[in-house]
Amino acid sequence: MTFDLVTNDPHTKARAGVVHTDHGAIETPIFMPVGTVGTVKAVQQRDLTNDVQAQIILGNTYHLYLRPGLDILHKAGGLHKFNGWDRPILTDSGGYQVYSLSGTRKIKEEGVKFRSHIDGSQHLFSPEGVMDIQRIIGADIIMAFDECTPWPCEYDYARRSLDMTHRWLKRCIQRFDSTEGHYGYSQTLFPIVQGSTFKDLRIKSAEFIAEQQREGNAIGGLSVGEPAELMYEMTELVCDILPKDKPRYLMGVGTPANILENIALGVDMFDCVMPTRNARNGMLFTTQGIINISNKKWADDFEPIDAELGGYVSTFYSKAYVRHLFHSKEMLGPQIASIHNLTFYLWLVKQARQQILAGTFREWKEKMVVQLMTRL
């Protein structure tokens, strides 16, 4: 994997670049739809390609390891062949699932012992094992195994966790560099900066991660409940340390405003379940603001969901019709909403890129942060 930094915005720390992988190029800033178990919920690959225009999607190591399992994925020829997605894929390491399964896991130096949420069976994720699993899944970009600390947490806990995450990273790198992929194309490993919301720990972690000289780097442990201002403070701190010639991936973020503000701080890559999860609950992000499609005011609004956005579902279906589908509990409603929201998110980062290239990002961003978070 290589990264070309095309331009820097003259008024912010925003950048436009291109990530090159064996499955295609990714123009940054980019948003990556989350496909936890090998599918972006309620969205076909054809719609991801044609309507959403996704350039890369995510898979989840924890979930894919449990279902369909490594034997099936290996026989299929990897996740790309299994789900029919021929563009880049990134897999997270399962570290966030370890964080969220706090009641059924034990963290030790060896790794993490946990019980499956499906059948209660016991498993071990070690740094070496997670590298092997992600080799079999076959993602273009794979993540180091880390512990995502909760917020808030005690300083001593965050410090001990960070030190262990760094020791795990060394083991990940050693295993990754001593093994080969299974399917004839290259994979790359991103380390993850941790340190909770403690400045000295974030600085220590960012410096350690930068020293590893991998092809890209990630920022984890944010968007876990902390105030947005703290997220931005930690992100800026870390981006100022991480290499400028490598892509920076902020994990699990976020709202349209979060994305624009973090682009301004130097982040290149984002993912979040928000566009699809909120879509299933009837929240639609549009170029004019946020719609709760269940509200009665949309019952006789026969205008398209978002005429300015483009894309099939956003310009073909009316707000009144989508509201009817949700009230009737028809599956098509969440499907339309999911495709629409993802189309919006990819439109947003594409617009941001165009503004960066034009040198007009800051003024545009200040206007859009207010406009896009307005409740309609």
Side-chain angles (χ1 to χ4, degrees):
M1 192 208 82
T2 60
F3 177 64
D4 295 332
L5 182 57
V6 177
T7 191
N8 291 284
D9 178 62
H11 306 294
T12 70
K13 296 174 182 178
R15 307 119 58 83
V18 183
V19 176
H20 299 277
T21 77
D22 287 354
H23 280 101
I26 306 157
E27 294 186 336
T28 64
I30 193 63
F31 179 83
M32 304 179 284
V34 177
T36 304
V37 293
T39 171
V40 177
K41 287 189 188 299
V43 183
Q44 294 189 67
Q45 318 319 23
R46 180 185 61 191
D47 296 323
L48 278 174
T49 301
N50 298 337
D51 232 29
V52 175
Q53 297 182 23
Q55 298 178 44
I56 176 174
I57 62 173
L58 264 67
N60 181 272
T61 292
Y62 167 86
H63 289 284
L64 291 167
Y65 163 79
L66 293 175
R67 280 191 305 208
L70 300 183
D71 288 346
I72 296 295
L73 287 168
H74 195 254
K75 286 178 183 177
L79 184 57
H80 287 92
K81 294 286 181 65
F82 187 58
N83 71 0
W85 179 255
D86 61 1
R87 297 181 181 184
I89 295 176
L90 181 151
T91 43
D92 71 6
S93 67
Y96 184 80
Q97 279 62 45
V98 166
Y99 154 79
S100 61
L101 293 169
S102 58
T104 59
R105 49 86 166 147
K106 292 182 180 179
I107 302 174
K108 296 184 178 180
E109 190 69 33
E110 177 189 11
V112 179
K113 292 182 178 178
F114 63 91
R115 289 188 177 274
S116 164
H117 72 286
I118 300 167
D119 60 9
S121 57
Q122 286 192 317
H123 304 268
L124 170 70
F125 269 8
S126 67
E128 295 82 5
V130 167
M131 293 300 96
D132 295 345
I133 292 167
Q134 289 185 89
R135 284 291 200 191
I136 292 172
I137 294 171
D140 301 84
I141 300 171
I142 75 174
M143 306 307 297
F145 191 52
D146 65 334
E147 183 193 359
C148 177
T149 48
W151 186 88
C153 70
E154 296 293 330
Y155 179 88
D156 284 347
Y157 181 92
R159 179 182 54 78
R160 291 193 304 271
S161 171
L162 179 64
D163 289 343
M164 185 175 65
T165 286
H166 288 173
R167 292 193 297 272
W168 282 358
L169 173 59
K170 282 295 195 182
R171 290 165 59 187
C172 286
I173 290 172
Q174 185 174 10
R175 185 59 153 238
F176 181 82
D177 287 349
S178 64
T179 58
E180 297 288 336
H182 294 266
Y183 311 113
Y185 54 85
S186 63
Q187 297 175 284
T188 193
L189 170 65
F190 279 24
I192 303 172
V193 177
Q194 289 288 350
S196 188
T197 52
F198 301 104
K199 283 186 180 181
D200 62 322
L201 296 183
R202 282 285 171 181
I203 292 170
K204 176 183 178 181
S205 188
E207 289 175 344
F208 181 81
I209 266 59
E211 289 170 2
Q212 308 311 308
Q213 298 184 337
R214 308 309 294 191
E215 289 87 0
N217 300 294
I219 306 168
L222 296 175
S223 193
V224 291
E226 80 283 356
E229 293 72 23
L230 262 180
M231 179 208 304
Y232 301 146
E233 183 182 355
M234 294 301 111
T235 299
E236 184 170 26
L237 194 68
V238 169
C239 284
D240 286 348
I241 295 170
L242 292 178
K244 291 178 169 53
D245 60 344
K246 309 287 178 65
R248 305 167 184 147
Y249 163 34
L250 181 57
M251 305 177 76
V253 176
T255 67
N258 290 158
I259 289 174
L260 292 181
E261 296 291 2
N262 282 297
I263 288 174
L265 300 174
V267 174
D268 307 296
M269 303 169 70
F270 301 86
D271 80 285
C272 190
V273 298
M274 181 173 284
T276 45
R277 179 176 289 169
N278 287 23
R280 297 193 298 275
N281 293 316
M283 177 184 283
L284 305 182
F285 297 98
T286 77
T287 56
Q288 304 305 308
I290 298 171
I291 290 174
N292 180 348
I293 201 64
S294 297
N295 288 349
K296 188 171 176 56
K297 67 184 293 185
W298 310 115
D300 59 354
D301 187 325
F302 304 110
E303 294 299 312
I305 300 169
D306 192 345
E308 292 187 26
L309 183 60
Y312 174 72
V313 303
S314 307
T315 57
F316 183 82
Y317 295 107
S318 71
K319 301 183 197 71
Y321 179 64
V322 177
R323 181 182 185 273
H324 157 71
L325 294 174
F326 270 89
H327 272 253
S328 303
K329 293 183 169 41
E330 284 288 336
M331 287 189 293
L332 184 58
Q335 285 182 292
I336 290 171
S338 297
I339 296 169
H340 164 79
N341 277 357
L342 288 172
T343 302
F344 167 82
Y345 266 64
L346 269 294
W347 168 87
L348 180 66
V349 291
K350 186 176 182 180
Q351 289 292 309
R353 178 183 170 84
Q354 290 174 358
Q355 297 293 331
I356 293 166
L357 292 172
T360 53
F361 174 76
R362 184 173 64 181
E363 184 178 347
W364 173 82
K365 186 264 292 184
E366 296 300 331
K367 179 187 75 170
M368 295 304 286
V369 163
V370 176
Q371 180 173 312
L372 298 179
M373 299 311 289
T374 301
R375 298 277 178 159
L376 299 177

